[in-house]
C-alpha cells in the first residue's frame, strides 16, 4: 500500500463545474497536507496546505481534511480550462520529507 | 523575491559519466530537499538538509548518489557513473523552518528542476 494514494484520472469536468480531487493516506503520524499543481513539463506549485480537520478555503479552492478517515480532498469551484493540470497530494510528519501521491490529472473542457 | 533556482535546466550525458546538479534555495530558507520525478511518476524523496547537515538521506537510491550543502545555502547533488535509469527530473525545494507556531513555515517551494537524460 502506498503511503499517499490518488486516482490517476484523468478527471474530466466541464468549465464552470466543481472539480473534486481526493487523496487518502496511511501514515496516521502525518500532520500536514499539501496540494500542489503541476503543469506538464513544469515544477509543482503550492496551492494550499491544511493542518486541521475540516475545511479551508482560498478563493476558488477548498481543502478538506478528515484525520479519522485519513482523507484529504481539494475542491475547485468554477473550474477553468487553465486549471487543467496534474494535482499532487502530499503528506508530512513535522519537518520531514513530503510524501507524494502519484497525482490526479484534471481536464477542464471549455 | 527570487525563488529556488536550479542549474543546469537540462543535462544530457553518456552512461558512466558523473554529473553535478546545483540548487540555490530561497534566501533565508534553512531546509533544502531533493526529489526525483521519473516520467509519469510521482515525486520521490532523495535527501533532506537542515543547514549543512543531512538528517535524512533515506531516499538516495544507491551509493552513486551523494549530496552536500555548504554555507547553509547552495546544494549540489552528484550522481557518479550514471545509468539510464537515472534519467528523470531532479527537483529541489526549500522551506523556512525553525521556531514554532507559524503555520505554513514548513511549506516547500520547488525550483524549476533539472531534466537529466542519460544515453
Amino acid at each position: 500500500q502506498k503511503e499517499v494514494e490518488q486516482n490517476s484520472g484523468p478527471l474530466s469536468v466541464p468549465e464552470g463545474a466543481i472539480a473534486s480531487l481526493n487523496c487518502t493516506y496511511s501514515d496516521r503520524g502525518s500532520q500536514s497536507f499539501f496540494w500542489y499543481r503541476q503543469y506538464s513539463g513544469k515544477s509543482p506549485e503550492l496551492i494550499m496546505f491544511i493542518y486541521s480537520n475540516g475545511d479551508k478555503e482560498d478563493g476558488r479552492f477548498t481543502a478538506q481534511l478528515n484525520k479519522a478517515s485519513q482523507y484529504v480532498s481539494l475542491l475547485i469551484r468554477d473550474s477553468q480550462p487553465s486549471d487543467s493540470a496534474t494535482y499532487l497530494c502530499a503528506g508530512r510528519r513535522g519537518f520531514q520529507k513530503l510524501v507524494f501521491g502519484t497525482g490526479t490529472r484534471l481536464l477542464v473542457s471549455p | 523575491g527570487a525563488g529556488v533556482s536550479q542549474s543546469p535546466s537540462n543535462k544530457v550525458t553518456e552512461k558512466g559519466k558523473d554529473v553535478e546538479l546545483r540548487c540555490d534555495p530561497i534566501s533565508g530558507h534553512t531546509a533544502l530537499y531533493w526529489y526525483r520525478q521519473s516520467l509519469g511518476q510521482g515525486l520521490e524523496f532523495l535527501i533532506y538538509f537542515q543547514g549543512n547537515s543531512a538528517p535524512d538521506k533515506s531516499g538516495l537510491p544507491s551509493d552513486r548518489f551523494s549530496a552536500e550543502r555548504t554555507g547553509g545555502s547552495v546544494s549540489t547533488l552528484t550522481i557518479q557513473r550514471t545509468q539510464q535509469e537515472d534519467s528523470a527530473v531532479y527537483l529541489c525545494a526549500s522551506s523556512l523552518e525553525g521556531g514554532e507556531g507559524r503555520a505554513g513555515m514548513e511549506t516547500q517551494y520547488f525550483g524549476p528542476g533539472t531534466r537529466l537524460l542519460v544515453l
Side-chain angles (χ1 to χ4, degrees), chain A residues 44-73:
Chain A
E45 54 181 325
L46 181 70
I47 297 177
M48 292 188 71
F49 60 85
I50 187 166
Y51 296 75
S52 304
N53 274 327
D55 295 358
K56 179 181 178 183
E57 186 174 320
D58 184 1
R60 296 188 296 113
F61 299 95
T62 299
Q64 299 174 318
L65 174 59
N66 183 325
K67 291 186 179 180
S69 300
Q70 297 176 248
Y71 178 88
V72 191
S73 66

Side-chain angles (χ1 to χ4, degrees), chain B:
Chain B
V4 178
S5 61
Q6 292 186 246
S7 61
S9 54
N10 292 280
K11 177 72 176 179
V12 180
T13 191
E14 294 179 349
K15 178 181 172 181
K17 296 286 181 67
D18 298 352
V19 295
E20 281 192 356
L21 311 180
R22 175 188 167 108
C23 172
D24 204 336
I26 293 172
S27 178
H29 279 196
T30 58
L32 186 149
Y33 301 78
W34 283 98
Y35 295 87
R36 176 169 76 172
Q37 188 172 33
S38 302
L39 188 63
Q41 301 297 310
L43 275 78
E44 172 191 14
F45 167 78
L46 297 177
I47 187 169
Y48 156 52
F49 286 93
Q50 180 60 256
N52 292 335
S53 63
D56 189 351
K57 307 178 184 179
S58 63
L60 294 178
S62 74
D63 59 6
R64 297 187 294 104
F65 288 73
S66 62
E68 65 175 12
R69 189 179 185 195
T70 55
S73 181
V74 172
S75 176
T76 302
L77 176 69
T78 301
I79 309 173
Q80 295 179 309
R81 304 180 303 283
T82 52
Q83 303 295 310
Q84 289 180 333
E85 61 262 28
D86 299 334
S87 297
V89 177
Y90 289 82
L91 290 157
C92 175
S94 70
S95 66
L96 176 62
E97 295 180 359
E100 297 178 0
R102 283 178 51 190
M105 283 177 60
E106 68 269 30
T107 299
Q108 296 179 23
Y109 297 91
F110 283 83
T114 293
R115 285 156 184 76
L116 175 65
L117 177 61
V118 182
L119 299 177

Side-chain angles (χ1 to χ4, degrees), chain A residues 1-71:
Chain A
Q1 181 189 12
K2 293 182 180 176
E3 285 191 51
V4 177
E5 297 215 41
Q6 296 180 257
N7 187 318
S8 61
L11 172 66
S12 296
V13 300
E15 184 174 357
I18 295 175
S20 177
L21 302 160
N22 304 315
C23 170
T24 58
Y25 63 94
S26 60
D27 180 6
R28 286 195 174 274
S30 296
Q31 297 165 307
S32 53
F33 300 88
F34 300 79
W35 283 99
Y36 284 84
R37 177 176 62 198
Q38 187 174 28
Y39 292 111
S40 181
K42 302 294 185 183
S43 60
E45 54 181 325
L46 181 70
I47 297 177
M48 292 188 71
F49 60 85
I50 187 166
Y51 296 75
S52 304
N53 274 327
D55 295 358
K56 179 181 178 183
E57 186 174 320
D58 184 1
R60 296 188 296 113
F61 299 95
T62 299
Q64 299 174 318
L65 174 59
N66 183 325
K67 291 186 179 180
S69 300
Q70 297 176 248
Y71 178 88

Side-chain angles (χ1 to χ4, degrees), chain A residues 66-82:
Chain A
N66 183 325
K67 291 186 179 180
S69 300
Q70 297 176 248
Y71 178 88
V72 191
S73 66
L74 179 70
L75 301 178
I76 306 175
R77 288 181 298 280
D78 187 24
S79 296
Q80 301 296 309
S82 59

